[in-house]
Amino acid sequence: QVQLVESGGGLVQPGGSLRLSCATSGSISSISAMAWYRQAPGKQRELVASISSGGSTNYAPSVKGRFTISRDSAKNTLWLQMNSLKPEDTAVYYCKIDQYSSGLRGPRTTDWGQGTQVTVSS
């Protein structure tokens, strides 16, 4: 059973930085993809960034060049470095993991964390 716990959120001024972490517990498949999503009030949850077990990354256009996603494979910890923060980055940020098994096209399981609040305001 996999559990994910996000931390590192808080209040920051525009132009500031935050570093989010997602700690996992339980057995993790060797082939997995992890991602950060965010959801602002009244808006749909959107993909912010993702990273595969091989290290391939992708980013939402709105954060590309400002955010960096990384993972510690040994500890199965996910990170999101957020720089040059803007008020529109304000949202609850969620960690997600998709685990895969050989022979299956899609994920074997998907798990979500409970989220951490990021507020960017003067």
Side-chain angles (χ1 to χ4, degrees):
Q1 186 152 316
V2 178
Q3 291 183 300
L4 302 94
V5 180
E6 302 95 335
S7 63
L11 176 64
V12 64
Q13 295 187 169
S17 298
L18 283 175
R19 186 172 177 84
L20 306 183
S21 65
C22 173
T24 65
S25 62
S27 181
I28 306 296
S29 297
S30 60
I31 303 175
S32 64
M34 300 188 75
W36 288 99
Y37 286 73
R38 68 186 181 187
Q39 187 168 25
K43 296 184 178 180
Q44 292 186 326
R45 187 172 298 186
E46 65 173 344
L47 175 66
V48 176
S50 65
I51 185 168
S52 71
S53 57
S56 298
T57 61
N58 61 70
Y59 298 88
S62 60
V63 307
K64 194 170 186 178
R66 299 188 297 119
F67 291 10
T68 302
I69 189 171
S70 61
R71 68 189 296 177
D72 184 329
S73 297
K75 297 181 178 180
N76 287 311
T77 300
L78 182 70
W79 302 89
L80 183 67
Q81 179 66 48
M82 304 185 294
N83 298 325
S84 302
L85 284 162
K86 304 174 180 179
E88 50 262 44
D89 295 319
T90 296
V92 177
Y93 284 70
Y94 298 90
C95 175
K96 188 190 80 169
I97 182 169
D98 291 322
Q99 299 184 75
Y100 298 84
S101 296
S102 297
L104 297 178
R105 289 194 174 191
R108 174 176 62 83
T109 60
T110 298
D111 294 280
W112 293 85
Q114 294 300 304
T116 184
Q117 177 71 49
V118 172
T119 302
V120 184
S121 176
S122 298

